[in-house]
Amino acid sequence: MAFDPKRAINGKWGELWIDNEKYNNVTECQGKVKSDKVDVPMCGKPGKPKKNTGWEGNGTVKFTKIDSKLVKKVATAIKNSTSLNSTIISKLSDPDAYGFESVAYYGVEFDEATITDWATGKIVEESYPFTFTDFDFINEITITD
């Protein structure tokens, strides 16, 4: 199958929900998993064989600042040493794509909240790194041609 450049997905059509509330001011979303491995010593092997023992998930969401709702929620939880245990749903779509992809991240805990960060002449952005304990692909993009 030949590559059709119009099928390349533009993040402009992305959508994001946190705890069932849609955030129209989202500008970026990244979630990734990393394998946890331990060395498995073996005689006669100069390399280091590995055994996968689990994984860890983390990501970042970024927004154009329009209100104080999320920063207050996250900063207050951190201040009070409480867990938010949120759910994030990310949807990646594009009118020319073969479909859309949506992923749910569960057990989300935000790592930090920048309370103040602004400069004259600049649009204010907020960035929230997070960890998660589980995820599911709700929808996936499949090539139909």
Side-chain angles (χ1 to χ4, degrees):
M1 171 191 331
F3 171 69
D4 184 354
K6 77 175 186 183
R7 300 295 189 172
I9 299 170
N10 184 328
K12 177 180 183 176
W13 306 101
E15 297 176 79
L16 186 93
W17 292 261
I18 300 175
D19 297 329
N20 296 317
E21 183 174 350
K22 188 172 184 179
Y23 283 77
N24 291 323
N25 57 323
V26 65
T27 59
E28 292 182 37
C29 180
Q30 180 187 62
K32 52 187 173 178
V33 293
K34 181 180 176 187
S35 177
D36 289 334
K37 298 176 185 169
V38 295
D39 291 341
V40 179
M42 294 180 71
C43 294
K45 297 281 185 182
K48 288 187 174 182
K50 308 280 186 191
K51 177 176 177 65
N52 192 359
T53 59
W55 60 273
E56 61 181 282
N58 62 64
T60 303
V61 289
K62 293 183 181 180
F63 305 92
T64 299
K65 185 171 184 77
I66 59 172
D67 62 27
S68 302
K69 182 174 41 179
L70 189 58
V71 69
K72 183 178 178 185
K73 179 180 178 179
V74 174
T76 300
I78 292 170
K79 178 181 176 180
N80 296 330
S81 299
T82 58
S83 294
L84 290 176
N85 195 25
S86 294
T87 298
I88 292 177
I89 296 178
S90 167
K91 179 180 177 186
L92 178 61
S93 184
D94 186 303
D96 285 328
Y98 288 106
F100 66 93
E101 177 181 272
S102 54
V103 179
Y105 299 96
Y106 306 108
V108 171
E109 295 294 340
F110 294 99
D111 301 331
E112 63 183 52
T114 301
I115 297 170
T116 304
D117 185 7
W118 58 270
T120 188
K122 293 185 180 179
I123 299 295
V124 177
E125 294 183 327
E126 298 178 303
S127 181
Y128 296 90
F130 64 90
T131 57
F132 58 93
T133 58
D134 201 3
F135 66 96
D136 284 317
F137 283 86
I138 300 168
N139 302 97
E140 60 185 90
I141 300 170
T142 55
I143 298 174
T144 56
D145 291 343

